Amino acid sequence: MLWTVHKRAMDLRGFRISMYEKQQKLCKEFKDPNWYKAKNKVGQVGFIPANYVKKREGVKAGTKLSLMPWFHGKITREQAERLLYPPETGLFLVRESTNYPGDYTLCVSCEGKVEHYRIIYKDSKLTIDEEAYFDNLMQLVEHYTNDADGLCTRLMKPKLMEGTVAAQDEFSRSGWTLKMKDLTLLQTIGRGEFGDVMLGDYRGSKVAVKCIKNDATAQAFVAEALVMTQLRHKNLVQLLGVIVEDKSSLFIVTEFMAKGSLVDYLRSRGRSVLGGECLLKFSLDVSEGMEYLEANNFVHRDLAARNVLVSEDNIAKVSDFGLTKEASATQDTGKLPVKWTAPEALREKLFSTKSDVWSFGILLWEIYSFGRVPYPRIALKDVVPRVERGYKMDAPDGCPAIVYELMKQCWHLDPNQRPSFRKLREQLEHIKAKELYQ
């Protein structure tokens, strides 16, 4: 079970060790359910009252979360009016404009009838009256929720799209929301699919912050955060929380991985710095994280060295869960990286743990080639045809034959013939044990 410690609990850092020992002894003797074990910023371990912590839960798999549950997409004016019946002043929804493609329409019930306000998309901004401008629909709705500002009424009650749950409410209920006032953004450290990735400070600790700034990527933000609430493993980058209170920006806050992506780490250090023991450790770290996903029925779908991060103490952790889904979900193949994706996933959209295993074989090749791009000297358009005819990359220079055999097992054209991540982890542990005794 995950726990988030309230600020009062962090103030215990001033307590003397003797006080911790006394509390620890008390809890052990009486097994008091009103106390929980905790560690403060300087590493001291002790016990804190149960009312200082809040229980965290993974957001239930299959929950359809939306940051804009009042957005109904492509519906007509008549359908909107039916949804807002019976009349209730302040009841509203937003839909795509049918008369002006690219614009939106705000539909508001007011004094027994429905008013339709065109939302104009102009110069990358949204506006109703060309006086107040907004970066996204969430900002616009928040503004008119606080003040009618020319509308027939203030927006009072959203008409939720059937089957959706407000993401803000669900993240708060399950204990994953953080406060913006506790976060300081320091500097940009990268760019991701959804926006900038920044180094931040959250209550004195370094964190990584994904910043999402527009409607187009807002729902993808929710999907990634939802997956991350359900995952907890030492070789997966850990979600610390989400911030959805500031409508100008949305944030996913994760642990900070000081040494960056594995591919950059391999390329910048190279053969002269990284020995075989280190390469094997990275391989084993990733296999353990992927074994956990396998056991919990999640498919990553974008496993590659660029999506593995390295911590200050050289632990490799799988990251970037933007495409991760339950094994039964389907996936558009438009954004998938050809050189890392299994043939059946590219050809038939068949994703499974076994397609992740194929990608793991490519990742092993990246590790032992110190970050080279796979399929060197082969044009991208020729990769898939050659692979489907049975082509396999040669072993990287200096790669142990036993590790290369693992790669080839991962690249079996029949997914059923590929090993499981559990088997891969066991084989890597066996290789490690043999090296220790040589």
Side-chain angles (χ1 to χ4, degrees):
M1 197 59 70
L2 308 180
W3 305 91
T4 179
V5 182
H6 288 184
K7 188 176 187 301
R8 285 189 298 164
M10 302 308 295
D11 292 337
L12 289 174
R13 61 182 180 273
F15 280 27
R16 294 176 299 181
I17 293 296
S18 59
M19 179 62 74
Y20 283 119
E21 291 172 346
K22 187 181 295 184
Q23 290 175 344
Q24 190 170 7
K25 182 178 179 182
L26 182 69
C27 294
K28 282 183 177 179
E29 289 177 357
F30 297 102
K31 298 182 179 179
D32 191 336
N34 297 312
W35 293 83
Y36 292 109
K37 193 174 183 179
K39 182 185 290 185
N40 66 9
K41 291 181 182 178
V42 295
Q44 295 172 322
V45 177
F47 285 79
I48 59 176
N51 63 349
Y52 280 22
V53 299
K54 181 179 180 181
K55 187 177 180 179
R56 265 188 175 177
E57 305 169 4
V59 176
K60 185 179 179 182
T63 303
K64 188 177 180 180
L65 298 186
S66 176
L67 287 164
M68 303 181 294
W70 33 257
F71 181 65
H72 289 247
K74 293 181 179 179
I75 62 171
T76 65
R77 180 188 185 100
E78 292 72 24
Q79 287 173 316
E81 291 180 351
R82 285 197 294 271
L83 287 169
L84 295 176
Y85 186 86
E88 180 180 347
T89 294
L91 184 66
F92 73 95
L93 61 83
V94 178
R95 60 183 174 88
E96 293 183 33
S97 175
T98 51
N99 295 327
Y100 302 94
D103 288 350
Y104 302 99
T105 303
L106 172 63
C107 309
V108 189
S109 181
C110 183
E111 298 181 358
K113 62 179 182 179
V114 176
E115 299 288 348
H116 300 263
Y117 296 92
R118 179 184 172 191
I119 302 172
I120 302 168
Y121 186 73
K122 183 178 181 180
D123 299 328
S124 300
K125 298 280 187 177
L126 299 173
T127 183
I128 289 176
D129 55 13
E130 298 194 47
E131 292 182 7
Y133 287 84
F134 308 94
D135 291 327
N136 54 49
L137 287 173
M138 288 174 290
Q139 280 185 16
L140 182 145
V141 166
E142 183 181 40
H143 174 79
Y144 290 108
T145 297
N146 296 326
D147 187 345
D149 195 19
L151 301 187
C152 62
T153 178
R154 182 173 63 84
L155 306 182
M156 299 179 192
K157 181 180 177 181
K159 176 63 179 179
L160 304 185
M161 187 173 181
E162 187 176 356
T164 62
V165 178
Q168 296 91 325
D169 295 341
E170 185 61 19
F171 284 130
S172 178
R173 182 201 66 78
S174 55
W176 287 99
T177 52
L178 304 178
K179 298 293 184 183
M180 188 67 204
K181 65 181 179 63
D182 294 325
L183 176 67
T184 302
L185 297 175
L186 301 175
Q187 65 187 67
T188 301
I189 55 177
R191 299 192 184 280
E193 180 186 356
F194 303 150
D196 292 343
V197 181
M198 301 192 71
L199 172 65
D201 181 287
Y202 190 80
R203 291 184 178 179
S205 298
K206 286 184 178 180
V207 294
V209 186
K210 286 188 175 182
C211 309
I212 293 85
K213 296 185 177 180
N214 58 64
D215 293 326
T217 55
Q219 197 55 42
F221 155 89
V222 170
E224 177 168 8
L226 186 151
V227 167
M228 294 185 77
T229 67
Q230 300 170 58
L231 306 176
R232 177 81 172 183
H233 189 273
K234 65 183 179 67
N235 294 116
L236 303 181
V237 172
Q238 180 60 44
L239 175 70
L240 302 179
V242 299
I243 298 175
V244 292
E245 64 192 44
D246 180 356
K247 300 302 185 296
S248 63
S249 294
L250 310 166
F251 304 101
I252 296 178
V253 183
T254 67
E255 62 178 311
F256 175 61
M257 302 292 283
K259 294 186 177 178
S261 75
L262 178 58
V263 70
D264 290 339
Y265 186 85
L266 292 165
R267 290 171 180 173
S268 62
R269 272 73 175 180
R271 200 178 303 273
S272 60
V273 175
L274 303 176
E277 183 180 346
C278 185
L279 302 183
L280 184 58
K281 180 186 178 301
F282 286 148
S283 304
L284 193 51
D285 283 348
V286 176
S287 72
E288 289 187 41
M290 293 305 299
E291 182 184 5
Y292 172 86
L293 290 184
E294 175 182 69
N296 286 277
N297 204 36
F298 281 99
V299 180
H300 190 282
R301 304 175 186 231
D302 197 14
L303 183 61
R306 64 182 172 277
N307 290 333
V308 174
L309 301 179
V310 183
S311 70
E312 181 64 44
D313 49 355
N314 279 8
I315 297 174
K317 303 189 182 190
V318 179
S319 180
D320 282 83
F321 299 99
L323 294 178
T324 303
K325 289 179 171 61
E326 290 181 90
S328 59
T330 59
Q331 173 70 41
D332 178 12
T333 57
K335 294 183 178 180
L336 293 173
V338 170
K339 291 186 175 183
W340 283 263
T341 304
E344 74 277 6
L346 289 171
R347 184 178 60 249
E348 303 168 42
K349 299 185 181 180
L350 293 177
F351 293 86
S352 66
T353 291
K354 298 301 187 181
S355 58
D356 275 350
V357 167
W358 177 286
S359 303
F360 180 74
I362 304 293
L363 188 149
L364 279 180
W365 191 92
E366 289 184 276
I367 290 174
Y368 280 86
S369 65
F370 296 90
R372 290 186 69 191
V373 176
Y375 301 100
R377 297 180 297 279
I378 298 178
L380 184 61
K381 65 180 177 63
D382 296 330
V383 170
V384 174
R386 291 189 62 173
V387 165
E388 290 186 328
R389 290 197 299 268
Y391 175 78
K392 293 178 174 64
M393 287 186 287
D394 294 334
D397 291 343
C399 176
I402 193 169
V403 174
Y404 181 56
E405 284 303 312
L406 280 189
M407 295 180 201
K408 290 194 290 185
Q409 289 177 35
C410 296
W411 299 332
H412 203 293
L413 288 176
D414 180 356
N416 295 320
Q417 297 299 313
R418 298 170 200 159
S420 66
F421 278 109
R422 179 179 179 180
K423 185 66 175 177
L424 287 165
R425 189 259 305 160
E426 289 173 347
Q427 290 178 290
L428 288 166
E429 285 182 339
H430 178 68
I431 295 169
K432 180 180 178 181
K434 284 182 65 176
E435 287 189 353
L436 286 175
Y437 289 101
Q438 282 181 350

